[in-house]
Amino acid sequence: MLTASLVLLNNFVRILFFTWEWLRLTMDRRRADRVPKKRTVSTRGVPMPKVTFHHAGTRASVLQVNAGANLMRAAVHDSVPGIVGECGGQAMCATCHVYVREPYLEALGSIGEDEDEMLDCTVTPRDQVRSRLACQITVGPGVTDIEVDVPESQV
Amino acid sequence: MSHVIIVGAGHAGVQVASSLRAEGFTGAITLVGEEHEHPYQRPPLSKDFVAGQDEGPLLLRSERFFAENAIDIRRGVQATHIDRLGRSVALGNGDVLDYSALVLATGATGRHLPIPGTDLRGVRQLRSLGDARGLRKDVSKADSVVVVGAGFIGLEFAAAARKRGLDVTVLETAEKPMSRALTPYMSDHLTRAHRDMGTDLRLGEGLAGVLGHVGTVTAAVGTSGRAYPTDLVLLGIGVVPRDELARSAGLPVDNGIVVDQFLRTADSAIYAVGDCASFPGDAPYSRLRLESVQNANDQARHVAKAIAGHPAPYAALPLFWSNQGPLRLQIAGLAMPGDRTGVSGDLSGSRFSVFCFRDGRLAAVESLNNPKDHIAARRVLASQHPLTAEEVAEPGFSLQDHAKHLAPAN
Ligand SMILES: Cc1cc2nc3c(=O)[nH]c(=O)nc-3n(C[C@H](O)[C@H](O)[C@H](O)COP(=O)(O)OP(=O)(O)OC[C@H]3O[C@@H](n4cnc5c(N)ncnc54)[C@H](O)[C@@H]3O)c2cc1C
Ligand code: FES
């Protein structure tokens, strides 16, 4: 009898737990849904910036991102191969090195002092014109679409 | 069928899973993590994140990544028991999973301070995303904070809080901050730099207790008896390894889960990596336990290789970075108390490197706002030709030039 009620209680607790888990997961999913990810037009009808990471050969990763998005972050959050971002965007590891394609260079702000120095420490040699750290680039006002080449290796 | 279970979905655990696939491992992979969040990076939590606005965490991998790589990730579930004979792991939700190899990547947790008042509202720790979210909320309402412990995380947070305009007091029991991890020169420099940022850094002062009013903190009391009125207290007094699962399975622990040079525990089917692992060090260290992203990632890659059939003794140059406001500190190798040191660079400013010599050879380099030296130091220290103190003392010696003549590291 005691065992039976214990089993019952146990089951009850489990059901409670699963209901709770289910609710939590649904909430999580809802919350995640609110972040526009793959939509191409933001809520205000403005097209979302498009970021293209070109890899060796003809492969490319094309991401639609929110205005204000950080390029390294966007790449890591979408598993773009070849962008590591080990220092978490502090301009201290140079594992988010990219070569920005010429037409998009002008719209980018100037290279900061920290970034400039780290760019001399990249594994794949720096290109004096095109090399940037993805973690120091944000898309948004002025910088809408952007195309970059991902180096062969970062570490 | 081979099945690798990884316990802990932090930096090391996620890297083991992803490296296993990169190594071509085709068996099943289950990644068990007790945190509810999708795996995220910890370093930003004490830097931009706490002082920032609404930005979410920086993830370790995309959400898709796990599905695409057939990694069965179980979030919000704790591994509670290891049955070594039966080679299975029991989970908190009642599941029992069989393994052919088990990797413990359980990390570390904030050290507990057995003093009165630490359960008050407004007393916080900073290890997880949950901690950081709570802290960020408190920071946005606070005018002042007392940081207990001038370790890396405490000082990073102090700098971030100063940037937001909070009054910051840091209490540190030792006479020099981080004296076990940093040379006295660097420690003194950081002390001055934090004071210049406006932080009231009090050395030789510990925390005796925390005072509160209706459940909320109002002041921190130092061991000197002095009270520091404050809205917020951050305990940053270091961490202890999460070795409880290993211990209860009868595996040896000694300030971390004891592993051999192959990162294997006493049970050859069980490995341990990252913050929780105590591994054999090169002399003069008998055992080492390191808390860094590089250590977590390198050990994880190493164990993935071993499981995929390429075991080798572990040897990697320890690297560390810390970003404290305008101070960008990078360390290659491990500095030790008693090392002979030499400083090069702009001594009056805040851009220089400290060279540490042990037995006449270069053993570690600390660089402040000097990433080029750091990268050069990595190459020099990883090479087979460690520099002697005499070479460095030569007039006109440049670490960067020296590194250029070496073959690339890695
Ligand atoms: C705020 C902060 C800032 C930092 N800054 C830097 C920095 O600037 N540079 C640097 O190099 N390092 C930094 N570090 C250290 C670095 O983050 C750690 O060394 C790294 O996270 C270690 O990885 P790990 O996987 O071993 O442990 P963790 O990342 O802690 O992961 C362990 C995980 O295992 C889970 N777990 C434990 N037990 C169980 C169980 N029984 N079942 C299921 N899950 C379990 C834990 O909940 C946790 O999620 C920082 C750490 C913190 C907290
Ligand atoms: S992420 Fe480290 S430099 Fe960009």
Side-chain angles (χ1 to χ4, degrees), chain A residues 72 85-96 133 135:
Chain A
M72 178 277 294
E86 188 154 284
C87 77
Q90 306 282 318
M92 288 180 84
C93 70
T95 65
C96 64
L133 296 179
C135 69

Side-chain angles (χ1 to χ4, degrees), chain B residues 26-296:
Chain B
T26 54
I29 302 176
T30 305
L31 181 57
V32 182
E34 67 188 5
E35 293 187 73
H36 290 285
E37 287 88 2
H38 187 79
Y40 58 87
Q41 305 197 18
R42 283 178 210 282
L45 299 183
S46 49
K47 304 172 181 90
D48 295 343
F49 187 89
V50 270
Q53 300 302 319
D54 235 9
E55 195 154 67
L58 179 59
L59 304 181
L60 279 164
R61 298 286 189 283
S62 70
E63 309 214 356
R64 274 194 351 252
F65 176 85
F66 297 93
E68 282 173 358
N69 287 280
I71 296 162
D72 179 7
I73 176 166
R74 314 267 182 111
R75 289 193 277 154
V77 188
Q78 197 175 43
T80 51
H81 179 74
I82 304 171
D83 174 1
R84 286 171 51 196
L85 274 180
R87 292 211 171 168
S88 68
V89 177
L91 308 185
N93 62 6
D95 285 356
V96 177
L97 309 174
D98 293 336
Y99 62 80
S100 51
L102 173 65
V103 183
L104 301 175
T106 48
T109 185
R111 192 185 297 278
H112 178 68
L113 254 193
I115 58 168
T118 47
D119 51 351
L120 288 164
R121 221 173 310 131
V123 180
R124 299 222 171 243
Q125 298 218 8
L126 181 48
R127 175 75 196 177
S128 67
L129 180 57
D131 294 342
R133 285 198 172 119
L135 186 60
R136 179 159 78 178
K137 206 184 268 167
D138 285 358
V139 163
S140 69
K141 290 181 279 186
D143 294 322
S144 55
V145 58
V146 171
V147 178
V148 182
F152 290 109
I153 292 174
L155 290 181
E156 287 174 356
F157 173 76
R162 276 303 300 147
K163 205 166 147 194
R164 278 206 55 140
L166 271 68
D167 285 333
V168 180
T169 306
V170 179
L171 309 182
E172 168 58 53
T173 351
E175 292 302 329
K176 278 188 196 300
M178 298 171 285
S179 53
R180 271 175 312 143
L182 293 180
T183 59
Y185 190 92
M186 187 60 83
S187 174
D188 289 345
H189 185 88
L190 294 184
T191 301
R192 276 195 307 273
H194 278 276
R195 287 179 174 155
D196 288 348
M197 283 179 227
T199 293
D200 183 8
L201 176 49
R202 298 191 167 245
L203 301 174
E205 173 84 305
L207 181 72
V210 184
L211 304 178
H213 180 67
V214 283
T216 303
V217 60
T218 53
V221 182
T223 41
S224 66
R226 188 188 159 122
Y228 303 89
T230 185
D231 307 326
L232 184 59
V233 173
L234 176 69
L235 301 178
I237 47 165
V239 296
V240 287
R242 294 278 306 265
D243 56 15
E244 65 273 6
L245 195 59
R247 190 164 355 114
S248 66
L251 295 169
V253 297
D254 171 14
N255 176 35
I257 304 167
V258 172
V259 293
D260 64 13
Q261 54 176 347
F262 294 91
L263 307 179
R264 256 181 342 216
T265 65
D267 183 328
S268 62
I270 307 180
Y271 299 81
V273 290
D275 281 14
C276 70
S278 159
F279 62 100
D282 289 340
Y285 303 95
S286 57
R287 303 206 71 79
L288 279 173
R289 192 178 65 76
L290 299 176
E291 295 155 12
S292 73
V293 168
Q294 168 274 327
N295 178 68

Side-chain angles (χ1 to χ4, degrees), chain A residues 14 17-18 20-21 24-25 28 32 37-38 63 68 70 72-73 75-80 84-94 113-118 120-123 155, chain B residues 11 36 41 43-44 47-48 55-65 68 75-77 93-94 293-294 297 301 321-323 327-330 351 369-372 374-375 378 410:
Chain A
R14 274 196 187 193
F17 175 77
F18 282 125
W20 163 247
E21 275 294 280
R24 203 182 48 71
L25 283 175
D28 268 4
K37 236 191 147 182
K38 291 277 159 187
L63 314 185
N70 175 285
M72 178 277 294
R73 215 181 155 88
V76 169
H77 284 193
D78 222 285
S79 295
V80 172
V84 181
E86 188 154 284
C87 77
Q90 306 282 318
M92 288 180 84
C93 70
E113 204 182 315
D114 297 340
E115 181 181 1
D116 188 35
E117 248 193 306
M118 280 321 283
D120 285 334
C121 306
T122 53
V123 169
V155 284
Chain B
H11 282 261
H36 290 285
Q41 305 197 18
K47 304 172 181 90
D48 295 343
E55 195 154 67
L58 179 59
L59 304 181
L60 279 164
R61 298 286 189 283
S62 70
E63 309 214 356
R64 274 194 351 252
F65 176 85
E68 282 173 358
R75 289 193 277 154
V77 188
N93 62 6
V293 168
Q294 168 274 327
N297 283 341
R301 292 189 190 107
W321 86 90
S322 174
N323 204 357
L327 308 168
R328 297 150 53 78
L329 173 68
Q330 289 167 296
R351 182 190 174 82
N369 299 325
N370 203 348
K372 283 189 191 167
H374 174 69
I375 300 289
R378 283 186 187 198
N410 305 321

